[in-house]
Amino acid sequence: MSNAKKMMYINRKAPYGTIYAWESLEVVLIGAAFEQDVSLAFMDDGVYQLTKGQDTSGIGMKNFSPTYAALGDFEVNKIYVDKESLEERGLTLDDLQHLVWEDEDEDWAEKDSIRLVSRSELSDVLADQDVLFNF
Amino acid sequence: MKLTIQVNEGPYQHQSADSAYFFTKAALEKGHKIYRVFFYHDGVNNGTRLTTPPQDDRNIVNRWSELAKEHDLDMVVCVAAAQRRGIVDDGEAQRNGKDATNIADGFRISGLGQLVEGAIQSDRLVVFGD
């Protein structure tokens, strides 16, 4: 991975209402094949993308939220969630899906993918990236 | 500097479609290299030759086509986004049984991998959108 770029996908919008969230996830899934150092950030209304128990039956749209649980299988396992964005919306970590990945180096031990970070910590992570995809 | 440009919004609806064009043109004039221009989300609508804006307005699609011709730009329309929104070239028309095409000169339809590869190959990915 020495030549890999640090690529972060920033998700700022609610999962439904506009197509940005879903089409962002499509880039993440395709991009996983490029073996880069990938991470995701969820901030602002983007934190709603990870909420559990989504039900889209009333709006005639596909509920794509189960796809986030598959990200670990694509070696996408650094998922930063902005703590303040959650708090501003009355949400806690318990409202989000429990996303995990299996660590090949530790006998496939199951580990949490979500990293709850403060806004200032997230800003440091952003500054450390080579490429920012912004959705 | 080598740049990949991502255009996320449709023409006439959103100024970022104009800004992307002006930025790309200015970057070329300053001697920068444009590795690729990638059209995503409603941005794929920048690539339909069937637009007919009023005569006293700018022609956003033709503007891109002319810039591409002048500078040999690689302008890629995302296939998944294009299929949803009805942007069609000969290959897509054949594959999906469509009775028409509408892709404008200088644009080609390809996969999202072209965006990721562009970001990897370029010094900067510059995104225009909301």
Side-chain angles (χ1 to χ4, degrees):
Chain A
M1 297 265 283
S2 56
N3 292 325
K5 281 194 171 182
K6 288 186 179 173
M7 309 183 99
M8 173 172 260
Y9 297 85
I10 303 171
N11 299 282
R12 297 179 294 120
K13 296 187 176 71
Y16 310 100
T18 64
I19 199 169
Y20 297 103
W22 172 230
E23 287 192 333
S24 169
L25 196 50
E26 288 192 325
V27 184
V28 174
L29 295 172
I30 297 286
F34 285 79
E35 299 190 343
Q36 304 293 305
D37 184 0
V38 172
S39 58
L40 271 59
F42 292 86
M43 57 203 288
D44 302 338
D45 279 350
V47 297
Y48 286 118
Q49 294 179 28
L50 297 179
T51 53
K52 57 188 175 193
Q54 292 180 27
D55 176 6
T56 59
S57 55
I59 54 171
M61 287 188 207
K62 183 164 101 175
N63 178 358
F64 60 86
S65 63
T67 311
Y68 294 105
L71 288 176
D73 298 335
F74 288 84
E75 292 182 36
V76 177
N77 51 35
K78 291 193 286 282
I79 298 178
Y80 296 90
V81 175
D82 173 39
K83 193 163 167 280
E84 284 95 320
S85 294
L86 278 182
E87 285 168 357
E88 285 161 6
R89 288 160 183 79
L91 298 171
T92 68
L93 204 49
D94 287 339
D95 295 305
L96 306 185
Q97 295 188 57
H98 184 210
L99 301 181
V100 296
W101 62 288
E102 290 174 345
D103 190 345
E104 188 180 348
D105 298 329
E106 290 186 24
D107 197 23
W108 306 99
E110 202 172 82
K111 296 185 173 178
D112 285 341
S113 297
I114 291 182
R115 306 175 182 194
L116 195 61
V117 290
S118 70
R119 205 157 272 174
S120 70
E121 286 169 327
L122 185 56
S123 132
D124 291 340
V125 178
L126 289 178
D128 193 39
Q129 303 298 315
D130 297 312
V131 180
L132 296 173
F133 290 96
N134 200 352
F135 293 98
Chain B
M1 200 176 262
K2 195 165 29 161
L3 305 170
T4 287
I5 310 293
Q6 183 181 344
V7 187
N8 286 343
E9 302 294 339
Y12 305 102
Q13 173 80 10
H14 203 299
Q15 192 179 344
S16 63
D18 293 271
S19 302
Y21 168 80
F22 288 126
F23 178 89
T24 303
K25 191 166 176 284
L28 287 164
E29 283 163 5
K30 287 272 187 190
H32 296 291
K33 297 264 182 293
I34 302 295
Y35 184 77
R36 182 166 294 141
V37 184
F38 191 88
F39 295 86
Y40 198 39
H41 303 307
D42 276 356
V44 300
N45 292 311
N46 286 282
T48 168
R49 67 170 186 269
L50 299 187
T51 54
T52 312
Q55 283 190 351
D56 59 354
D57 200 354
R58 68 226 189 276
N59 190 316
I60 294 179
V61 176
N62 289 354
R63 218 164 51 175
W64 278 117
S65 294
E66 285 155 18
L67 194 67
K69 194 173 176 187
E70 192 181 337
H71 296 278
D72 198 22
L73 291 182
D74 185 22
M75 301 201 302
V76 177
V77 173
C78 168
V79 63
Q83 285 175 343
R84 288 190 179 107
R85 295 164 178 86
I87 306 297
V88 182
D89 64 6
D90 288 334
E92 281 294 297
Q94 202 162 22
R95 253 188 303 284
N96 301 311
K98 301 297 177 186
D99 60 5
T101 69
N102 60 351
I103 191 101
D105 280 347
F107 292 84
R108 66 186 179 96
I109 294 179
S110 188
L112 276 170
Q114 298 278 301
L115 170 62
V116 179
E117 194 251 353
I120 293 169
Q121 296 298 332
S122 302
D123 299 308
R124 293 281 188 282
L125 171 71
V126 185
V127 184
F128 291 86
D130 243 353

